[in-house]
mmCIF file of all heavy atoms in Angstrom:
data_model
loop_
_atom_site.group_PDB
_atom_site.id
_atom_site.type_symbol
_atom_site.label_atom_id
_atom_site.label_comp_id
_atom_site.label_asym_id
_atom_site.label_seq_id
_atom_site.Cartn_x
_atom_site.Cartn_y
_atom_site.Cartn_z
ATOM 1 N N PRO X 41 -9.261 -24.681 -1.493
ATOM 2 C CA PRO X 41 -10.689 -24.660 -1.779
ATOM 3 C C PRO X 41 -11.009 -23.795 -3.032
ATOM 4 O O PRO X 41 -10.489 -22.701 -3.152
ATOM 5 C CB PRO X 41 -11.339 -24.020 -0.582
ATOM 6 C CG PRO X 41 -10.309 -24.112 0.513
ATOM 7 C CD PRO X 41 -8.985 -24.185 -0.158
ATOM 8 N N ILE X 42 -11.819 -24.313 -3.885
ATOM 9 C CA ILE X 42 -12.192 -23.552 -5.134
ATOM 10 C C ILE X 42 -13.030 -22.298 -4.735
ATOM 11 O O ILE X 42 -12.977 -21.339 -5.451
ATOM 12 C CB ILE X 42 -12.970 -24.507 -6.098
ATOM 13 C CG1 ILE X 42 -11.953 -25.515 -6.635
ATOM 14 C CG2 ILE X 42 -13.576 -23.738 -7.291
ATOM 15 C CD1 ILE X 42 -12.516 -26.537 -7.524
ATOM 16 N N LYS X 43 -13.764 -22.389 -3.666
ATOM 17 C CA LYS X 43 -14.555 -21.260 -3.191
ATOM 18 C C LYS X 43 -13.715 -19.979 -3.045
ATOM 19 O O LYS X 43 -14.169 -18.918 -3.381
ATOM 20 C CB LYS X 43 -15.274 -21.596 -1.842
ATOM 21 C CG LYS X 43 -16.413 -22.536 -2.003
ATOM 22 C CD LYS X 43 -17.026 -22.751 -0.654
ATOM 23 C CE LYS X 43 -18.074 -23.781 -0.730
ATOM 24 N NZ LYS X 43 -18.742 -24.098 0.580
ATOM 25 N N ASP X 44 -12.534 -20.166 -2.524
ATOM 26 C CA ASP X 44 -11.590 -19.022 -2.427
ATOM 27 C C ASP X 44 -11.268 -18.380 -3.771
ATOM 28 O O ASP X 44 -11.235 -17.111 -3.885
ATOM 29 C CB ASP X 44 -10.306 -19.417 -1.739
ATOM 30 C CG ASP X 44 -10.455 -19.767 -0.302
ATOM 31 O OD1 ASP X 44 -11.578 -19.587 0.249
ATOM 32 O OD2 ASP X 44 -9.478 -20.266 0.339
ATOM 33 N N THR X 45 -11.083 -19.172 -4.760
ATOM 34 C CA THR X 45 -10.817 -18.588 -6.109
ATOM 35 C C THR X 45 -12.064 -17.910 -6.650
ATOM 36 O O THR X 45 -11.929 -16.818 -7.238
ATOM 37 C CB THR X 45 -10.384 -19.741 -7.048
ATOM 38 O OG1 THR X 45 -9.206 -20.360 -6.521
ATOM 39 C CG2 THR X 45 -10.161 -19.225 -8.443
ATOM 40 N N LEU X 46 -13.180 -18.472 -6.453
ATOM 41 C CA LEU X 46 -14.447 -17.883 -6.956
ATOM 42 C C LEU X 46 -14.793 -16.544 -6.274
ATOM 43 O O LEU X 46 -15.509 -15.719 -6.845
ATOM 44 C CB LEU X 46 -15.644 -18.875 -6.818
ATOM 45 C CG LEU X 46 -15.547 -20.074 -7.740
ATOM 46 C CD1 LEU X 46 -16.672 -21.053 -7.342
ATOM 47 C CD2 LEU X 46 -15.670 -19.692 -9.193
ATOM 48 N N GLN X 47 -14.310 -16.337 -5.103
ATOM 49 C CA GLN X 47 -14.597 -15.140 -4.364
ATOM 50 C C GLN X 47 -13.637 -13.968 -4.745
ATOM 51 O O GLN X 47 -13.829 -12.901 -4.246
ATOM 52 C CB GLN X 47 -14.554 -15.408 -2.837
ATOM 53 C CG GLN X 47 -15.714 -16.265 -2.393
ATOM 54 C CD GLN X 47 -15.505 -16.686 -0.958
ATOM 55 O OE1 GLN X 47 -14.579 -16.515 -0.332
ATOM 56 N NE2 GLN X 47 -16.586 -17.303 -0.426
ATOM 57 N N GLN X 48 -12.605 -14.266 -5.471
ATOM 58 C CA GLN X 48 -11.642 -13.232 -5.941
ATOM 59 C C GLN X 48 -12.294 -12.288 -6.972
ATOM 60 O O GLN X 48 -13.043 -12.770 -7.818
ATOM 61 C CB GLN X 48 -10.392 -13.849 -6.492
ATOM 62 C CG GLN X 48 -9.640 -14.695 -5.509
ATOM 63 C CD GLN X 48 -9.121 -13.900 -4.319
ATOM 64 O OE1 GLN X 48 -8.575 -12.796 -4.507
ATOM 65 N NE2 GLN X 48 -9.289 -14.401 -3.171
ATOM 66 N N PRO X 49 -12.004 -10.999 -6.899
ATOM 67 C CA PRO X 49 -12.564 -10.085 -7.911
ATOM 68 C C PRO X 49 -11.760 -10.192 -9.232
ATOM 69 O O PRO X 49 -10.609 -9.846 -9.250
ATOM 70 C CB PRO X 49 -12.439 -8.697 -7.297
ATOM 71 C CG PRO X 49 -11.314 -8.844 -6.268
ATOM 72 C CD PRO X 49 -11.317 -10.312 -5.878
ATOM 73 N N TYR X 50 -12.400 -10.612 -10.269
ATOM 74 C CA TYR X 50 -11.688 -10.732 -11.620
ATOM 75 C C TYR X 50 -12.265 -9.698 -12.550
ATOM 76 O O TYR X 50 -13.501 -9.509 -12.651
ATOM 77 C CB TYR X 50 -11.913 -12.103 -12.205
ATOM 78 C CG TYR X 50 -11.150 -13.175 -11.477
ATOM 79 C CD1 TYR X 50 -11.766 -14.031 -10.541
ATOM 80 C CD2 TYR X 50 -9.792 -13.438 -11.784
ATOM 81 C CE1 TYR X 50 -11.096 -15.029 -9.911
ATOM 82 C CE2 TYR X 50 -9.138 -14.450 -11.158
ATOM 83 C CZ TYR X 50 -9.778 -15.217 -10.197
ATOM 84 O OH TYR X 50 -9.052 -16.243 -9.564
ATOM 85 N N LEU X 51 -11.382 -8.922 -13.220
ATOM 86 C CA LEU X 51 -11.858 -7.992 -14.211
ATOM 87 C C LEU X 51 -12.598 -8.571 -15.338
ATOM 88 O O LEU X 51 -13.456 -7.951 -15.931
ATOM 89 C CB LEU X 51 -10.680 -7.105 -14.705
ATOM 90 C CG LEU X 51 -10.172 -5.995 -13.774
ATOM 91 C CD1 LEU X 51 -9.024 -5.271 -14.391
ATOM 92 C CD2 LEU X 51 -11.306 -4.998 -13.471
ATOM 93 N N CYS X 52 -12.246 -9.820 -15.702
ATOM 94 C CA CYS X 52 -12.907 -10.439 -16.822
ATOM 95 C C CYS X 52 -14.383 -10.709 -16.564
ATOM 96 O O CYS X 52 -15.147 -10.889 -17.461
ATOM 97 C CB CYS X 52 -12.194 -11.739 -17.205
ATOM 98 S SG CYS X 52 -12.170 -12.981 -15.937
#
Side-chain angles (χ1 to χ4, degrees):
I42 293 176
K43 287 181 185 179
D44 290 352
T45 300
L46 291 172
Q47 292 173 350
Q48 297 298 315
Y50 289 98
L51 280 178
C52 61

